[in-house]
Amino acid sequence: MDINNVLLITWKEILNARRNRWFILYTIVFALLSLALSWLGLAGVGNYNLAGFGKTTASLINLILLIVPLMGLTLGAISLAGEREKGTLLYLLAQPVSPFEVLLGKFLGIGAALLAALLIGFGLSGYLIALRGGMTQIGSYLSLIGFTLLLALATLGIGLLISSFMKKAESAVGMALFLWLFFVFFGDLGLIGSTLFFKLDIQQVLYISLINPLQAFKLGALMSMRANLEVLGPVGLYAMRTFGAQLAILISAVLGVWIFSSFVVTYAVIQKKGGL
Amino acid sequence: MIRVENLTRYYGNFPAIEDVTFDVDKGEILGFLGPNGAGKSTTMRILTCYMPATSGKATVAGFDVFEQSMEVRKRIGYLPEHPPLYPDLTVDTYLDFVAKIKGVPAQERKKAIDDVIDRVGLQDVRNRTIRKLSKGFKQRVGLAQALVHDPEVLILDEPTVGLDPKQIIEVRELIKSLAGRHTVILSTHILPEVSMTCQRVVIIDKGRVVAEDTPENLSAKVKSTERILVEVEGPQDEVKQKLTSVPGVKNVSLENANGTARFVIDSELDKDIRKDLANTVVSQGWGLLELRPMDVSLEEVFLRLTTKE
């Protein structure tokens, strides 16, 4: 692997993202909504340094669960399919670079741009909270940022995987939206239904819920905020009792496995299909 | 410089190309012709490492396209029919990206980009986003990306599509100027373009090579008669009758009548009847305005080779 080729494609992806209207739109929406939620979180108590980061972190979790997977999935989905549609993927794969370098460069480039977009939102909110509400519970806010970045990369990986199969960007985005709906809404309902129908025990429910990267993120984010998971009921308590402080590592590992496995499968598809 | 031997590519059970074999010498410009769906793009895509062949062998600059594809990729510049452009990048940034990915050394990169921008006439738009360029300029950017690393081999698929007449002439001149320094495969449907720029032609039909020679030799091979154009000032019907009576003449057709009469005369092969034709016209007291042999055009060669069953 030639690292210069990887960095070159990463750089090209970052340049592309700067002018990509979806990217710009997502960055603005995320920044505005996180600022608005932070502002609301500070209302009434911010002036007395009582709110800090804890309350805002809680309200940001739902925003992140909705928007970040949407960003990761759709930006990933547009990526390879869009280039395939324009013929530039075929072109890129015919240059003196390997398919691995192309894919890694694209993942790192879009990933870096996505993380930068999220950090703009988190940075603005963090600045507002620090200014108005003090530095209380900043640790939970930083943990939230960490888990969010992992979630973003995991969903980006899944988006790229969808993209590797599709010939048109539109179809890839459609598939990404379907998957987003599935993760966000039907994931919970499916888990509840399966639990009742198959009479799953608490351990099985925990492991099945961890398969959904959004659920894994939610567990991690709530744990970092409250240090215990009674808010998630028996499953949360079971998770805390079984894994304790190791749960954060387990959740990070789950999201890491999503990132790694989706990248490996995407690479296999690209190798088989090429740029066509 | 380029050697293609028994190249075959199947899409499922359908053979896109079968046993395609041809060579291109160093510094030569080769016209690569064929009807739509004949297998031109498939052959070019295999040569440019865009896709593998099912069987056969191809080498570029001595490197095997399949076994040493990275070496081949560095030595080829390819302009596909639809130029692969990144619309959100500026012309300069895009060419810088291509130069880097093609391995142009850092100290030579700026000069390489400046040179190619001059050669294809992109000076006025080099800082513009590609999305905002006209079709003609986009085509030029496509040509620039194929040339920026000064490749030994250039493969150009319809390079003048979308250009205005002035730009077409400029691009043809540019392609002609590449001969000697670069080896070029030019695929186009504009056959006069091939006659004007190519030293040799390969015609492919239904996935197989049906002809390979110089345009002149191909014309000679396919022609079944000698053809002569005669322009005469005189009564058309009478002139036609007299010309038809010249020994060796097989057919006389009136091409147009615009005060004068232009006749296209087909005669027996390898028999020069120009002197007899001239004598016939002059002895009748008619004005002989023009008399010259006509070659079979490349269009005719192409049609005869690709439409016969």
Side-chain angles (χ1 to χ4, degrees), chain A residues 65 151 182-184 186-195 200-220 222 229 232-240 243 247 250-251 254-255 258:
Chain A
L65 277 168
L151 175 69
F182 179 82
F183 278 143
V184 172
F186 302 120
D188 275 351
L189 292 175
L191 187 62
I192 294 166
S194 305
T195 307
L200 300 174
D201 66 30
I202 225 165
Q203 189 183 24
Q204 288 167 324
V205 174
L206 173 66
Y207 290 138
I208 290 172
S209 64
L210 279 177
I211 291 172
N212 182 343
L214 274 68
Q215 292 287 353
F217 162 81
K218 198 177 356 177
L219 268 176
L222 285 173
L229 292 172
L232 289 175
V235 177
L237 287 172
Y238 172 79
M240 269 317 281
F243 299 103
L247 188 61
L250 176 72
I251 289 166
V254 166
L255 293 172
W258 268 108

Side-chain angles (χ1 to χ4, degrees), chain B residues 91 95 113-123 125 136-148 163 167 170-171 174 178:
Chain B
V91 172
L95 292 177
I113 294 168
D114 288 346
D115 283 352
V116 82
I117 279 179
D118 281 346
R119 280 172 94 179
V120 301
L122 287 167
Q123 299 92 330
V125 297
F137 273 120
K138 282 181 183 165
Q139 191 70 11
R140 290 190 201 201
V141 178
L143 199 54
Q145 65 77 28
L147 286 166
V148 70
L163 302 182
Q167 292 167 342
E170 285 169 6
V171 169
L174 175 69
L178 298 172

Side-chain angles (χ1 to χ4, degrees), chain B residues 35-285:
Chain B
N36 288 334
K40 300 189 300 291
S41 294
T42 301
T43 309
M44 287 188 287
R45 282 178 170 181
I46 292 170
L47 285 176
T48 49
C49 308
Y50 273 46
M51 60 160 71
T54 309
S55 65
K57 191 175 169 163
T59 56
V60 172
F63 294 100
D64 190 295
V65 166
F66 314 116
E67 304 292 329
Q68 298 157 296
S69 88
M70 287 296 169
E71 292 302 321
V72 172
R73 292 166 193 221
K74 285 179 197 163
R75 288 165 173 80
I76 280 192
Y78 179 36
L79 171 65
E81 196 174 345
H82 304 289
L85 307 173
Y86 290 104
D88 293 324
L89 300 184
T90 63
V91 172
D92 245 352
T93 314
Y94 172 65
L95 292 177
D96 184 53
F97 171 70
V98 176
K100 281 177 180 163
I101 211 163
K102 291 283 191 185
V104 178
Q107 63 274 19
E108 294 168 22
R109 209 174 294 139
K110 191 179 177 306
K111 187 177 179 310
I113 294 168
D114 288 346
D115 283 352
V116 82
I117 279 179
D118 281 346
R119 280 172 94 179
V120 301
L122 287 167
Q123 299 92 330
D124 296 338
V125 297
R126 64 185 297 168
N127 294 315
R128 270 212 238 154
T129 310
I130 293 172
R131 184 187 300 281
K132 292 176 183 161
L133 298 181
S134 67
K135 196 176 173 192
F137 273 120
K138 282 181 183 165
Q139 191 70 11
R140 290 190 201 201
V141 178
L143 199 54
Q145 65 77 28
L147 286 166
V148 70
H149 58 301
D150 198 21
E152 291 171 58
V153 173
L154 264 165
I155 297 184
L156 308 174
D157 194 355
E158 301 287 352
T160 53
V161 164
L163 302 182
D164 63 37
K166 185 170 170 282
Q167 292 167 342
I168 288 174
I169 293 167
E170 285 169 6
V171 169
R172 277 183 195 156
E173 289 304 315
L174 175 69
I175 293 170
K176 268 200 235 177
S177 74
L178 298 172
R181 197 166 126 199
H182 304 265
T183 304
V184 183
I185 294 183
L186 170 68
S187 169
T188 175
H189 283 115
I190 306 167
L191 298 183
E193 196 162 280
V194 175
S195 305
M196 278 181 252
T197 50
C198 300
Q199 289 122 353
R200 222 153 46 83
V201 174
V202 167
I203 299 179
I204 183 170
D205 187 34
K206 298 184 182 116
R208 288 177 177 275
V209 173
V210 292
E212 180 188 356
D213 214 325
T214 62
E216 297 77 28
N217 287 348
L218 281 177
S219 300
K221 275 180 194 168
V222 301
K223 75 178 179 183
S224 53
T225 58
E226 299 291 346
R227 188 168 281 184
I228 299 161
L229 181 106
V230 183
E231 188 170 356
V232 180
E233 198 174 45
Q236 283 175 19
D237 293 341
E238 221 175 307
V239 175
K240 188 175 178 184
Q241 201 181 357
K242 279 284 176 195
L243 291 175
T244 310
S245 66
V246 174
V249 169
K250 293 169 89 173
N251 183 50
V252 178
S253 54
L254 185 66
E255 203 172 62
N256 68 359
N258 209 0
T260 61
R262 284 162 70 92
F263 297 95
V264 176
I265 297 165
D266 289 312
S267 65
E268 287 165 19
L269 262 182
D270 303 325
K271 187 170 182 185
D272 192 352
I273 57 163
R274 284 176 293 175
K275 201 171 160 186
D276 299 338
L277 290 173
N279 283 338
T280 305
V281 173
V282 174
S283 66
Q284 297 296 318

Side-chain angles (χ1 to χ4, degrees), chain A residues 229-272:
Chain A
L229 292 172
E230 76 269 19
V231 71
L232 289 175
V235 177
L237 287 172
Y238 172 79
M240 269 317 281
R241 201 183 63 200
T242 312
F243 299 103
Q246 306 297 314
L247 188 61
I249 297 168
L250 176 72
I251 289 166
S252 303
V254 166
L255 293 172
V257 167
W258 268 108
I259 297 168
F260 180 75
S261 56
S262 55
F263 183 88
V264 169
V265 180
T266 306
Y267 176 59
V269 175
I270 290 289
Q271 275 232 308
K272 190 165 187 296

